Amino acid sequence: MDDLLTTMRALAADGLFSAADARACGLDRRLLAEAAARGEIERLARGQYLVSPAPDLRELHRSRSIAVVDGLERTGLSHDSGLVVRGLPTFAADLSRVHVTSTRRRKRVPPHVHHWVRRSVVLDEVVVGSTTVPALPVADCVVQVGLLRGGEAALVPADAAIREGSLTVDDLSAALDLVVGHRGVRSLRQMLAWADGRHETPGETRTGVCLHRLGLAYTPQVWIGQDRVDALLDDEPVVVEFDGALKYMDQDALVAEKIREDRIRSRGYGFVRLMWADLYDLGLVAARVRRAIDALHRRS
């Protein structure tokens, strides 16, 4: 059994190998089925296998996406799949299905694949390890996700892509122009106008969405003395920080963060701290910001 697993690992590129490669090395369908039953490999798509379990859902989706699109003509990964394969973050995505887009509909599509059809498709060649994968441009994937699930789902990867330099505001505008007339395009365009590569995490992006929706102008990533803060309101000296993992930090980190907050407050700034759950309650965010502003006014 160890020799069999060693052979399959030797076949694999980035963890993936095909049934045809396996047959060429004397591994028939029965042996592959037995290896799958033991959990040594996983069948990702017709004739495509993953040698060892992926470490997380995103990695599994990435491997499955590469396997699904392999050998398909004029077809590229799209929507969330086109983002995941590039290492970009997603928000509220269903990664149980791979999304592909092409210019013609296919008769047989596996249940874990969502096949989309467009009149014309431009494909990028995305390098993933030692593999080159066809995918729609980043801007197209972002817009597709926005039309499917709403503006925040598009803004999170858009911010990350702008920050890393794989997307520009002009790219987004051009991709939006291609889908004029689709339902939801106007509101999506309005939200993507908030795309700002200075946000460093999806949580910071979503914090910015809350501030925008409350009509609060702000500047991301501002230095206050020796401390850089996530957001500073433009019209009031109030800092807004996102701490998605704060409660998981060790005690020393918590103490250091409290010292940092006190240092910022000592310079005359109000301070609002938000976590993931808070971002789903716009009224709560508004109340916390209002309290911080009122406290400053009372002190002055």
Side-chain angles (χ1 to χ4, degrees):
M1 295 302 176
D2 290 341
D3 290 342
L4 175 61
L5 188 55
T6 299
T7 300
M8 289 186 292
R9 284 176 175 158
L11 283 174
D14 297 318
L16 296 169
F17 70 95
S18 70
D21 292 335
R23 285 195 301 272
C25 293
L27 305 179
D28 59 23
R29 185 178 300 177
R30 179 184 59 81
L31 289 174
L32 292 179
E34 291 174 354
R38 291 192 299 271
E40 295 171 350
I41 63 173
E42 180 174 351
R43 184 177 183 273
L44 298 179
R46 185 182 179 86
Q48 295 287 345
Y49 295 87
L50 179 68
V51 173
S52 56
D56 57 36
L57 185 57
R58 282 180 60 87
E59 185 64 21
L60 179 59
H61 185 86
R62 169 186 167 277
S63 297
R64 181 173 283 129
S65 298
I66 295 171
V68 164
V69 81
D70 181 50
L72 297 181
E73 295 183 359
R74 297 187 297 279
T75 302
L77 295 172
S78 60
H79 297 73
D80 293 297
S81 302
L83 300 172
V84 169
V85 80
R86 291 179 166 96
L88 291 169
T90 56
F91 174 63
D94 176 9
L95 297 184
S96 65
R97 303 186 73 185
V98 173
H99 293 263
V100 298
T101 298
S102 67
T103 55
R104 62 186 180 86
R105 188 167 300 282
R106 299 185 178 278
K107 294 181 179 179
R108 298 175 61 183
V109 179
H112 63 276
V113 176
H114 195 134
H115 179 223
W116 303 82
V117 178
R118 287 173 59 165
R119 184 174 301 173
S120 63
V121 174
V122 175
L123 297 178
D124 289 343
E125 294 295 328
V126 181
V127 178
V128 185
S130 60
T131 305
T132 301
V133 184
L136 270 65
V138 176
D140 288 345
C141 294
V142 166
V143 169
Q144 287 176 321
V145 165
L147 292 176
L148 186 64
R149 295 202 316 280
E152 281 190 78
L155 190 57
V156 165
D159 264 0
I162 290 174
R163 185 172 65 253
E164 72 173 26
S166 61
L167 180 68
T168 68
V169 173
D170 288 342
D171 294 334
L172 282 176
S173 179
L176 286 164
D177 288 343
L178 293 176
V179 293
V180 169
H182 282 62
R183 182 179 180 181
V185 172
R186 181 176 299 179
S187 60
L188 179 59
R189 188 184 294 273
Q190 291 172 345
M191 182 164 282
L192 286 177
W194 300 342
D196 189 323
R198 289 173 291 179
H199 296 131
E200 295 185 339
T201 67
E204 290 179 26
T205 294
R206 297 197 60 238
T207 298
V209 169
C210 291
L211 297 177
H212 279 296
R213 284 175 169 164
L214 291 171
L216 297 169
Y218 72 98
T219 302
Q221 300 302 323
V222 176
W223 285 96
I224 298 176
Q226 70 190 74
D227 302 300
R228 188 174 63 164
V229 300
D230 293 342
L232 177 64
L233 299 188
D234 292 349
D235 299 326
E236 299 282 354
V238 172
V239 168
V240 182
E241 286 271 286
F242 172 76
D243 288 310
L246 182 60
K247 62 184 178 181
Y248 301 111
M249 294 179 180
D250 59 33
Q251 188 62 34
D252 290 342
L254 286 170
V255 171
E257 183 59 27
K258 183 62 170 68
I259 292 172
R260 174 177 175 272
E261 180 179 330
D262 290 344
R263 188 166 56 235
I264 293 171
R265 289 183 183 277
S266 71
R267 292 176 175 271
Y269 290 87
F271 202 99
V272 176
R273 191 180 297 282
L274 301 172
M275 299 186 70
W276 273 114
D278 303 330
L279 303 180
Y280 292 93
D281 189 340
L282 195 60
L284 181 147
V285 175
R288 290 188 182 177
V289 172
R290 186 71 259 168
R291 282 199 299 269
I293 293 172
D294 291 344
L296 283 177
H297 290 178
R298 287 194 299 270
R299 283 163 50 187
S300 63

